[in-house]
Amino acid sequence: MPNIFTPLLARISPLKQTLSEDDLSIEVDAKNLFNNIEFAASAGFDYLVDITAVDYLSYPKTPVARYAMVYILRSTDFKSLLTIKSFIINEEVESITQLFKAANWLEREVYDQYGIKFTNHPNLKRVLNHHEFVGHPLRKDYIITNGQHCSIAESLMDEMDVQLEKHNLKDEEHMFLNLGPSHPASHGTIRTLVALDGERIKAAVTEIGYLHRGFEKSAEHHTYSQVIPYTDRLNYCSAVMNNVGYVKTLEEMLGVHVPKRAEQIRVMLMELSRIMDHLVFLAAQLVDMGALTNYWYLYNPREDVYNFLSKLSGARLTNSYMRIGGMSHDLYDGYEEDLQTIITNVQKGCADALALIKHNRIFHDRAKDVGIISAKDALSYGWSGPNLRACGVNSDMRYLKPYYGYDELDFDVVLGSHGDVYDRIMVRFEEIEQSIKIVKQIQATLIDGEINIADRSIILPQKKEVYTSIEGVMNQFKLTFEGIKVKPQEYYGSIEAVNGELGFYVVSDGSGTPYKMKVRAPSFLHIAALPEIIQEYQLADAVITLASLNIIAGEMDR
Amino acid sequence: MDIKGATNLLGNEVITTKLDEAVGWARESSLWPMVFGTACCAIEFMSVAASKYDISRFGAEVVRFSPRQADLMIVAGTITYKQAPILKQIYDQMSEPKWVVSMGACASSGGFYDNYTTMQGIDEVIPVDVYVGGCPPRPEALIDALLLLQKDLREKKYNPNRHANFKGALDA
Ligand code: SF4
C-alpha cells in the first residue's frame, strides 16, 4: 500500500475499503463525511477530481439508502486516487465548497441532476438544466423523454447582486452587459453577464448548460458499445480521444488488455487528436484577437487530418473508431504517406502562424499578463491539462501515470510559468510539436499483430462466422442486443485528454447497459473559474481569456 | 415601346430584366450567413468557411455574428430547450427577407439525443427552409443546401408569406 494511505486509514475508519494499485476506495458514514474529506485534503489528497451521486432506486441489490455521494480526490503528486463514498439518508449533505473551489459547480450539478441539497452552499441553484425545469433528470424515476420547454432565459441578476455585494460594489453605478450565449465572442453556448465600469469588468457571472444534451442519462439507456458514438460528441474537436478514454475505462473494468499494436495505434490517434484540437483552439483564439489570417494557416492542415480520418473510419469528425477491446479495423494501406502530409502541413501552418505573432507587439501586449490564474487557484478549481500546465504545474498523466507505453516514448511535458493567456497559447503550440514527435516514434516502432482481444464475450465475431455458423449469429445477436456484460462494480478511469483529465465514473449492475455514468469533463471545471479570472480586466481581455480556456461545450455541458 | 423594342434600340449597352429577377439575382449572390453554431456541426461549418470548401465561391462568405446584418441563419448544432428562447430571439432579430438552414440531425430532429433536454428539431420554435441531414453533414452537403436555396431564389422568387401559418411552441 502506498504510504500516503497509511495516516489516512489510521484516522478515518471506513465502513468498507478496497485498494488497487495506487488507488483506494472507501465508504464512510454520512455523519463524518465532511470531516473525512477535510482530513483527506490535509493529508495530501488536495485535488478534487469530481463529485457525483448515485441513485440506487432500480439497482438489483438495494443498498442501505437510495442515494450515495461520491467524491474523487487525487494526491498532490497526481499519482494516487482516493474515492470516498457515503450513503445519505435525508437527501442532504454538507457542502465542501470551503475546501475546494471546484466543489461549487460540481455540487450545483449534483443538486440539479439528483436533487440532493448541500447545506452551507453559497449559491445552490441549477447549473445544466434551465431555470423553469421541474424535477431532477438523473433520478431513476425521471422518464428520459420527458422534455420541458423553457420560455425565456433567466436574468442572472440574483447571482450578480450577490457578486456586487461581495465586492462592496452595491452602491456604485455599473453598466450591465450580457455576453452570449449567442455572441461572436462566446462561441455559441456560454453566457457571461458582466458589470462594467467603463471598459473594466467589476463583477461577472457565467451561465452554462446551453448544450446540455443529456449524455449521462442517454448512456443509461444504451448498451456499453452504443455509448461510443455519444463519446465522440463530448469534445468533438478530438473525437477519437474521447473514444479511447471511454473504452479504456471499460476495458479496465472488464480486466482486459488490448494487444500492443492496438495500444500503439491508440496513442498515435490520440496524439493526432491533440494536434487537431490544438489547431482549432489556436485558430479560434487568434481570430478572437483579430488575427484572422491565422485561421487559414492553422485550420487548413486540419483538412489533412480529416482526410486521414475519413479514410480510416469513414467519418471526418465523429469517428467512433474505437471498440471495447480494440478498434473497428486496422490502419489502411499507405497511411504513412498521409501521415507525412499531415506532419509537414501542420508544421508549416504553425511556423507561418508563429512568424506572424511570435515577435508581434500587438499580440504580446494583448496576451501577456491577461487572464492570470495562480497555480494554487487553478488546482483548487480542479483545472487540468494545458490550462493547468500553463500555470507551471505538471499534471500530465501521460508522464505521471503512464499508460499504453507512454513511458517508453520520448516527449517533453510543456509547462508555462505565468498562467496567462500568452502561456496558454504557447503551451499548445509546443504541445503540437511534442505530439508530432510521439506520432513519429510510434510510426517507427509500430509492431505487427492483432488489434483486438480474442474474447468473444466482448468483441464481435468476424462477418464470415456470422454468415456461416449458428454460433456466430448468436454471438453477434447477443452482443448487439444485450451488450457486453460488465460485472457489478463502481469504477473511475481517466486519460490525459486534450483539455486535461477526462474521466468516466461508471456504475455497472451486471447487465449490458451502464447503470450510471458520470463524465469528468475538464472544460466544466475550467469555465467555473472564468468569472473570477476576468475580473478587473478590460472587456476585450475577457473575450480572449474565454477563448484561451478552450472550452468545448460538448464536454462542458455533456 | 415594348421590352424587345428597347433591347433592339439599346443593343449591348444595357441589360433588360424584370425587377424581381434582378432582386432575386442580387439576393442569391450575396447571402450573408449568421451562424448559430452550438456544437459539433459548427466545427464542420468552420471547414466550409476554410480554404478547401470555401463558401465564398458561392457568395456566402460574409459571416455575420450579428443577426441584424444577416439574412441566412445556419443553425449548426444541437438546440436544447434552454437554448430555444435564445434561438427564437435571434431569429426574430433578423429582418426580412431571411432564410433558415437547419444543419445536421440535431437541429433538424434532435438527432440521437431523444431525451429530456434536447429539442426534437428547431422547427418546434422557428420555421426552416432547408434541412440538411448528417451527423455532422459533410461540407459538400451544406454547400448543396446553399445552392438549393439559391436556385429557389432564382427560379421561384421569394415568397415573404411562406411561413405565415407557422406557429412555434414559444410563440405567444
Ligand atoms: S447532428 Fe451530430 S454532429 Fe451535428 S451537432 Fe448533432 S451530434 Fe453534433
Side-chain angles (χ1 to χ4, degrees), chain A residues 203-419:
Chain A
V205 176
T206 295
E207 188 196 18
I208 62 163
Y210 287 98
L211 193 61
H212 174 52
R213 338 186 236 195
F215 169 84
E216 285 148 3
K217 188 88 175 175
S218 291
E220 293 173 12
H221 287 77
H222 289 81
T223 63
Y224 287 103
S225 298
Q226 284 174 329
V227 173
I228 295 172
Y230 283 97
T231 63
D232 279 336
R233 290 149 181 88
L234 289 169
N235 179 348
Y236 32 71
C237 292
S238 48
V240 179
M241 184 73 98
N242 312 308
N243 288 173
V244 178
Y246 172 71
V247 297
K248 180 170 168 287
T249 305
L250 257 295
E251 285 154 8
E252 284 161 10
M253 292 177 79
L254 290 160
V256 296
H257 296 279
V258 291
K260 177 81 184 160
R261 181 177 171 85
E263 286 189 354
Q264 287 183 303
I265 295 177
R266 281 183 181 179
V267 171
M268 186 160 99
L269 293 178
M270 281 196 288
E271 294 311 320
L272 266 183
S273 302
R274 203 179 307 278
I275 294 168
M276 69 191 288
D277 194 296
H278 283 353
L279 287 175
V280 186
F281 163 85
L282 292 166
Q285 166 85 66
L286 293 169
V287 168
D288 279 351
M289 280 188 178
L292 189 65
T293 318
N294 294 287
Y295 178 71
W296 285 278
Y297 285 163
L298 292 164
Y299 196 88
N300 286 348
R302 243 182 101 96
E303 285 298 336
D304 298 308
V305 189
Y306 282 146
N307 181 31
F308 168 82
L309 286 175
S310 36
K311 281 190 196 174
L312 185 67
S313 72
R316 285 160 54 86
L317 194 67
T318 44
N319 315 98
S320 294
Y321 179 64
M322 292 300 156
R323 296 290 179 272
I324 298 163
M327 53 200 66
S328 69
H329 42 267
D330 210 325
L331 296 169
Y332 58 92
D333 286 343
Y335 79 93
E336 294 94 339
E337 220 173 284
D338 291 343
L339 211 54
Q340 194 44 54
T341 314
I342 295 174
I343 293 174
T344 316
N345 290 348
V346 168
Q347 281 177 325
K348 178 158 188 315
C350 288
D352 286 346
L354 278 170
L356 283 181
I357 60 164
K358 206 169 175 182
H359 301 296
N360 184 321
R361 176 76 192 276
I362 304 172
F363 173 73
H364 282 252
D365 284 354
R366 290 219 54 196
K368 279 188 176 163
D369 290 325
V370 167
I372 300 180
I373 184 167
S374 68
K376 184 166 159 277
D377 279 347
L379 286 165
S380 182
Y381 270 115
W383 279 27
S384 53
N387 289 347
L388 181 59
R389 292 197 280 274
C391 306
V393 181
N394 178 6
S395 60
D396 197 328
M397 297 294 168
R398 297 174 296 171
Y399 176 78
L400 296 169
K401 280 196 86 172
Y403 47 94
Y404 291 166
Y406 269 114
D407 45 348
E408 294 155 18
L409 295 165
D410 175 26
F411 66 98
D412 292 336
V413 175
V414 187
L415 296 181
S417 57
H418 223 60

Side-chain angles (χ1 to χ4, degrees), chain A residues 213 233 236 317-318, chain B residues 38-42 76-78 103-107 111-113 134-137:
Chain A
R213 338 186 236 195
R233 290 149 181 88
Y236 32 71
L317 194 67
T318 44
Chain B
T38 62
C40 354
C41 276
T78 321
M103 178 183 182
C106 281
F112 72 174
Y113 295 99
C135 183

Side-chain angles (χ1 to χ4, degrees), chain B:
Chain B
M1 188 164 43
D2 61 0
I3 288 197
K4 235 188 174 150
T7 316
N8 284 342
L9 196 68
L10 298 169
N12 288 340
E13 306 293 312
V14 172
I15 300 169
T16 53
T17 179
K18 293 188 210 111
L19 180 63
D20 43 6
E21 275 183 15
V23 172
W25 169 80
R27 279 181 180 148
E28 167 208 335
S29 342
S30 68
L31 286 166
W32 286 21
M34 140 92 214
V35 185
F36 197 93
T38 62
C40 354
C41 276
I43 306 294
E44 272 304 61
F45 180 84
M46 289 176 83
S47 286
V48 180
S51 313
K52 184 167 173 187
Y53 293 96
D54 195 4
I55 196 172
S56 65
R57 292 180 296 156
F58 309 97
E61 79 279 23
V62 190
V63 177
R64 295 287 103 161
F65 287 98
S66 166
R68 301 189 196 278
Q69 301 167 354
D71 54 7
L72 173 65
M73 181 184 239
I74 300 179
V75 182
T78 321
I79 302 297
T80 59
Y81 289 112
K82 192 171 185 171
Q83 185 80 267
I86 314 283
L87 175 69
K88 183 173 156 37
Q89 189 180 353
I90 300 283
Y91 174 79
D92 288 344
Q93 284 173 350
M94 288 171 69
S95 47
E96 294 280 357
K98 58 183 170 188
W99 297 271
V100 176
V101 171
S102 161
M103 178 183 182
C106 281
S108 304
S109 71
F112 72 174
Y113 295 99
D114 185 6
N115 59 29
Y116 62 94
T117 170
T118 311
M119 204 163 59
Q120 303 299 297
I122 56 169
D123 50 13
E124 280 192 39
V125 292
I126 60 170
V128 175
D129 291 293
V130 189
Y131 296 88
V132 190
C135 183
R138 286 187 60 92
E140 294 91 335
L142 187 67
I143 292 173
D144 188 43
L146 187 70
L147 294 178
L148 206 69
L149 195 66
Q150 290 178 328
K151 186 157 169 274
D152 230 43
L153 288 176
R154 193 159 55 235
E155 290 173 1
K156 288 197 211 136
K157 292 177 219 143
Y158 165 62
N159 172 11
N161 296 321
R162 68 200 186 288
H163 299 309
N165 293 328
F166 178 84
K167 188 158 172 24
L170 298 182
D171 288 317

